[in-house]
Amino acid sequence: MRTDKPAKNVDEYLAGVPEPARSTLNRVRAAIRSAVPAETTEVISYRIPTFKYKGSLMAFAAFLKHCSLFPMSVAGGVQERA
């Protein structure tokens, strides 16, 4: 959810999200984390939680009446075959 002061990290972002959206986004976060490479980092980008690995992979956010999932790049997380 957008506030006047942007969150510094994903935990801070989620702390500012009211229930039931917070629980939903925590489950989304866990599902993404279980599917991405271990080297993937979590950052705040464009004021929303974003997973990065060789570029932005996936982001999620809470809004007043809905939550959104933003696929950003399939190529960044896929290893090329020789």
Side-chain angles (χ1 to χ4, degrees):
M1 305 217 53
R2 189 170 177 142
T3 63
D4 291 335
K5 183 179 174 187
K8 294 177 186 164
N9 57 53
V10 177
D11 290 328
E12 187 175 302
Y13 178 92
L14 291 171
V17 174
E19 291 294 351
R22 182 182 319 134
S23 295
T24 299
L25 292 182
N26 275 317
R27 288 193 303 274
V28 167
R29 182 186 191 189
I32 295 169
R33 173 59 59 203
S34 72
V36 296
E39 300 83 14
T40 301
T41 58
E42 293 179 310
V43 300
I44 298 295
S45 181
Y46 296 99
R47 297 180 78 134
I48 62 173
T50 303
F51 285 85
K52 288 191 168 195
Y53 177 76
K54 298 181 181 180
S56 296
L57 293 176
M58 184 78 62
F60 58 90
F63 298 95
L64 187 59
K65 296 187 178 200
H66 70 280
C67 294
S68 291
L69 181 65
F70 303 99
M72 300 178 118
S73 172
V74 175
V78 176
Q79 293 182 358
E80 293 185 29
R81 295 181 186 180

